[in-house]
Amino acid sequence: MTPGRERGLAALLCAAGAGLALLAAGRPWATVRAQDAITPFAQDLTGRDLGTAAGALGWAALAGLAALFATQGRLRVAVGVLLALLGVGVGYSSVLAVQRSSVVSAAGEKSALLRLGGSLLVDVSAWWVVSLLGGVLLVAAGVITAVRGARWPGMSARYERPRAPSRTAVGAPGEQDASSLWKSLDRGEDPTARPGERGP
């Protein structure tokens, strides 16, 4: 696989991982029910409600995606290590968020009615697995970048700052401004002719 394709694969994995983490963060991860309370009550909790950092880490991974293209050499390797760490953080926070103690605590903070319930039933959906998968993809993107990123090409030259044109010394051979051309035409000289061929 060419270096350019390796970079494209790492960028695709990074974008997919960050996208999955952000998508899952807004979906319901768990439902808590208090069935033996005076009034049966249920509370849905999203990934953000559970206090997971997966969403914030997903945004950070998107910033890492931009840095993947903007950096070169050892700096890009450092970006790969950072992406891998972000992926580990997404996966760890996703698993920790759906633990029964975490879910019950978050539900109690969100609704006082659940605190009055005797026994609470906790149902966990599969969205936390989607977030975990996003973390795994980010780790894969980070590892590929850390191992192979130093030899990848940099940004295209069209994205680089244009260099200022070098100035030649005043009166250098071949340098003519617009006013001198008009003056030569007024004198009857041919500006396209060689210096030795011009008229008086």
Side-chain angles (χ1 to χ4, degrees), residues 30-100:
T31 302
V32 180
R33 294 183 175 86
Q35 294 184 339
D36 58 348
I38 298 175
T39 301
F41 185 79
Q43 180 70 58
D44 292 329
L45 300 170
T46 65
R48 297 187 185 95
D49 294 331
L50 293 173
T52 179
L57 295 175
W59 286 113
L62 285 181
L65 175 61
L68 192 74
F69 290 94
T71 56
Q72 293 180 354
R74 293 183 179 178
L75 192 56
R76 180 179 284 156
V77 172
V79 171
V81 174
L82 179 61
L83 286 176
L85 292 176
L86 290 174
V88 171
V90 169
Y92 177 76
S93 61
S94 300
V95 173
L96 187 63
V98 293
Q99 300 300 312
R100 179 179 173 83

Side-chain angles (χ1 to χ4, degrees), residues 4-189:
R5 290 184 178 180
E6 288 178 354
R7 186 182 66 175
L9 175 61
L12 180 62
L13 291 174
C14 181
L20 289 177
L22 293 173
L23 173 67
R27 299 298 188 272
W29 287 24
T31 302
V32 180
R33 294 183 175 86
Q35 294 184 339
D36 58 348
I38 298 175
T39 301
F41 185 79
Q43 180 70 58
D44 292 329
L45 300 170
T46 65
R48 297 187 185 95
D49 294 331
L50 293 173
T52 179
L57 295 175
W59 286 113
L62 285 181
L65 175 61
L68 192 74
F69 290 94
T71 56
Q72 293 180 354
R74 293 183 179 178
L75 192 56
R76 180 179 284 156
V77 172
V79 171
V81 174
L82 179 61
L83 286 176
L85 292 176
L86 290 174
V88 171
V90 169
Y92 177 76
S93 61
S94 300
V95 173
L96 187 63
V98 293
Q99 300 300 312
R100 179 179 173 83
S101 58
S102 300
V103 174
V104 171
S105 176
E109 293 176 359
K110 192 173 182 181
S111 175
L113 291 177
L114 289 176
R115 299 177 186 174
L116 302 177
S119 60
L120 300 177
L121 298 178
V122 177
D123 295 327
V124 178
S125 70
W127 280 108
W128 73 274
V129 180
V130 175
S131 181
L132 176 62
L133 178 59
V136 172
L137 293 180
L138 286 175
V139 171
V143 170
I144 293 174
T145 304
V147 174
R148 307 286 292 178
R151 60 189 291 266
W152 294 347
M155 289 179 14
S156 174
R158 63 179 176 175
Y159 296 110
E160 297 178 357
R161 178 183 294 181
R163 297 180 180 178
S166 59
R167 296 183 178 179
T168 58
V170 177
E175 180 185 11
Q176 293 181 341
D177 57 5
S179 61
S180 64
L181 289 176
W182 282 111
K183 290 178 182 178
S184 65
L185 288 174
D186 291 339
R187 292 191 300 265
E189 297 178 357

